PDB file of all heavy atoms in Angstrom:
ATOM      1  N   ASN A  75      -0.550  10.671   1.020  1.00 98.00           N
ATOM      2  CA  ASN A  75       0.312  10.974  -0.087  1.00 98.00           C
ATOM      3  C   ASN A  75      -0.274  10.324  -1.356  1.00 98.00           C
ATOM      4  O   ASN A  75      -0.362   9.080  -1.366  1.00 98.00           O
ATOM      5  CB  ASN A  75       1.793  10.496   0.137  1.00 98.00           C
ATOM      6  CG  ASN A  75       2.588  11.568   0.830  1.00 98.00           C
ATOM      7  OD1 ASN A  75       2.342  12.742   0.783  1.00 98.00           O
ATOM      8  ND2 ASN A  75       3.612  11.016   1.625  1.00 98.00           N
ATOM      9  N   PHE A 130       2.856   1.334   9.338  1.00 98.00           N
ATOM     10  CA  PHE A 130       3.035   1.991   8.076  1.00 98.00           C
ATOM     11  C   PHE A 130       3.967   3.192   8.320  1.00 98.00           C
ATOM     12  O   PHE A 130       3.774   4.008   9.217  1.00 98.00           O
ATOM     13  CB  PHE A 130       1.711   2.552   7.511  1.00 98.00           C
ATOM     14  CG  PHE A 130       1.822   3.163   6.162  1.00 98.00           C
ATOM     15  CD1 PHE A 130       1.727   2.414   4.995  1.00 98.00           C
ATOM     16  CD2 PHE A 130       2.070   4.558   6.068  1.00 98.00           C
ATOM     17  CE1 PHE A 130       1.864   3.072   3.731  1.00 98.00           C
ATOM     18  CE2 PHE A 130       2.175   5.159   4.800  1.00 98.00           C
ATOM     19  CZ  PHE A 130       2.089   4.376   3.702  1.00 98.00           C
ATOM     20  N   ARG A 131       5.061   3.279   7.554  1.00 98.00           N
ATOM     21  CA  ARG A 131       6.125   4.290   7.772  1.00 98.00           C
ATOM     22  C   ARG A 131       6.395   4.977   6.461  1.00 98.00           C
ATOM     23  O   ARG A 131       6.936   4.428   5.503  1.00 98.00           O
ATOM     24  CB  ARG A 131       7.352   3.571   8.334  1.00 98.00           C
ATOM     25  CG  ARG A 131       8.600   4.423   8.499  1.00 98.00           C
ATOM     26  CD  ARG A 131       8.433   5.652   9.399  1.00 98.00           C
ATOM     27  NE  ARG A 131       9.691   6.152   9.974  1.00 98.00           N
ATOM     28  CZ  ARG A 131      10.562   6.936   9.358  1.00 98.00           C
ATOM     29  NH1 ARG A 131      10.415   7.308   8.107  1.00 98.00           N
ATOM     30  NH2 ARG A 131      11.681   7.286   9.960  1.00 98.00           N
ATOM     31  N   CYS A 132       6.064   6.276   6.436  1.00 98.00           N
ATOM     32  CA  CYS A 132       6.373   7.083   5.258  1.00 98.00           C
ATOM     33  C   CYS A 132       7.835   7.532   5.320  1.00 98.00           C
ATOM     34  O   CYS A 132       8.404   7.723   6.423  1.00 98.00           O
ATOM     35  CB  CYS A 132       5.508   8.309   5.194  1.00 98.00           C
ATOM     36  SG  CYS A 132       5.820   9.479   3.899  1.00 98.00           S
ATOM     37  N   VAL A 133       8.446   7.671   4.156  1.00 98.00           N
ATOM     38  CA  VAL A 133       9.859   8.155   4.130  1.00 98.00           C
ATOM     39  C   VAL A 133      10.013   9.572   4.729  1.00 98.00           C
ATOM     40  O   VAL A 133      11.090   9.996   5.152  1.00 98.00           O
ATOM     41  CB  VAL A 133      10.382   8.101   2.653  1.00 98.00           C
ATOM     42  CG1 VAL A 133       9.771   9.215   1.810  1.00 98.00           C
ATOM     43  CG2 VAL A 133      11.883   8.106   2.615  1.00 98.00           C
ATOM     44  N   GLU A 134       8.888  10.303   4.830  1.00 98.00           N
ATOM     45  CA  GLU A 134       8.922  11.597   5.444  1.00 98.00           C
ATOM     46  C   GLU A 134       8.935  11.613   6.996  1.00 98.00           C
ATOM     47  O   GLU A 134       8.670  12.612   7.600  1.00 98.00           O
ATOM     48  CB  GLU A 134       7.768  12.437   4.973  1.00 98.00           C
ATOM     49  CG  GLU A 134       7.711  12.695   3.493  1.00 98.00           C
ATOM     50  CD  GLU A 134       6.343  13.194   2.981  1.00 98.00           C
ATOM     51  OE1 GLU A 134       5.387  12.559   3.212  1.00 98.00           O
ATOM     52  OE2 GLU A 134       6.386  14.245   2.356  1.00 98.00           O
ATOM     53  N   TRP A 136       6.913  10.064   9.183  1.00 98.00           N
ATOM     54  CA  TRP A 136       5.701   9.875  10.016  1.00 98.00           C
ATOM     55  C   TRP A 136       5.189   8.466   9.893  1.00 98.00           C
ATOM     56  O   TRP A 136       5.515   7.744   8.908  1.00 98.00           O
ATOM     57  CB  TRP A 136       4.615  10.913   9.610  1.00 98.00           C
ATOM     58  CG  TRP A 136       4.226  11.012   8.116  1.00 98.00           C
ATOM     59  CD1 TRP A 136       4.766  11.789   7.209  1.00 98.00           C
ATOM     60  CD2 TRP A 136       3.260  10.178   7.440  1.00 98.00           C
ATOM     61  NE1 TRP A 136       4.212  11.626   5.999  1.00 98.00           N
ATOM     62  CE2 TRP A 136       3.252  10.584   6.107  1.00 98.00           C
ATOM     63  CE3 TRP A 136       2.387   9.160   7.852  1.00 98.00           C
ATOM     64  CZ2 TRP A 136       2.429   9.983   5.133  1.00 98.00           C
ATOM     65  CZ3 TRP A 136       1.603   8.603   6.882  1.00 98.00           C
ATOM     66  CH2 TRP A 136       1.582   8.975   5.564  1.00 98.00           C
ATOM     67  N   TYR A 227       9.526   1.891   3.030  1.00 98.00           N
ATOM     68  CA  TYR A 227       8.912   3.256   3.155  1.00 98.00           C
ATOM     69  C   TYR A 227       7.661   3.284   2.247  1.00 98.00           C
ATOM     70  O   TYR A 227       7.533   2.569   1.213  1.00 98.00           O
ATOM     71  CB  TYR A 227       9.903   4.315   2.670  1.00 98.00           C
ATOM     72  CG  TYR A 227      11.095   4.427   3.644  1.00 98.00           C
ATOM     73  CD1 TYR A 227      12.416   4.201   3.248  1.00 98.00           C
ATOM     74  CD2 TYR A 227      10.840   4.843   4.973  1.00 98.00           C
ATOM     75  CE1 TYR A 227      13.461   4.379   4.165  1.00 98.00           C
ATOM     76  CE2 TYR A 227      11.917   4.992   5.863  1.00 98.00           C
ATOM     77  CZ  TYR A 227      13.162   4.713   5.470  1.00 98.00           C
ATOM     78  OH  TYR A 227      14.226   4.865   6.350  1.00 98.00           O
ATOM     79  N   GLY A 228       6.717   4.113   2.630  1.00 98.00           N
ATOM     80  CA  GLY A 228       5.368   4.113   2.076  1.00 98.00           C
ATOM     81  C   GLY A 228       5.363   4.307   0.559  1.00 98.00           C
ATOM     82  O   GLY A 228       4.420   3.815  -0.038  1.00 98.00           O
ATOM     83  N   PHE A 229       6.350   4.959  -0.039  1.00 98.00           N
ATOM     84  CA  PHE A 229       6.257   5.192  -1.486  1.00 98.00           C
ATOM     85  C   PHE A 229       6.388   3.980  -2.342  1.00 98.00           C
ATOM     86  O   PHE A 229       5.973   3.953  -3.452  1.00 98.00           O
ATOM     87  CB  PHE A 229       7.305   6.295  -1.965  1.00 98.00           C
ATOM     88  CG  PHE A 229       8.685   5.880  -1.842  1.00 98.00           C
ATOM     89  CD1 PHE A 229       9.373   5.148  -2.824  1.00 98.00           C
ATOM     90  CD2 PHE A 229       9.554   6.267  -0.719  1.00 98.00           C
ATOM     91  CE1 PHE A 229      10.710   4.786  -2.743  1.00 98.00           C
ATOM     92  CE2 PHE A 229      10.895   5.929  -0.642  1.00 98.00           C
ATOM     93  CZ  PHE A 229      11.496   5.208  -1.674  1.00 98.00           C
TER      94      PHE A 229
HETATM   95 MO1   MO Y   2       5.577   8.370   1.654  1.00 67.28          MO
END
Side-chain angles (χ1 to χ4, degrees):
N75 272 331
F130 183 88
R131 172 58 156 80
C132 177
V133 75
E134 298 165 307
W136 53 267
Y227 292 118
F229 66 84

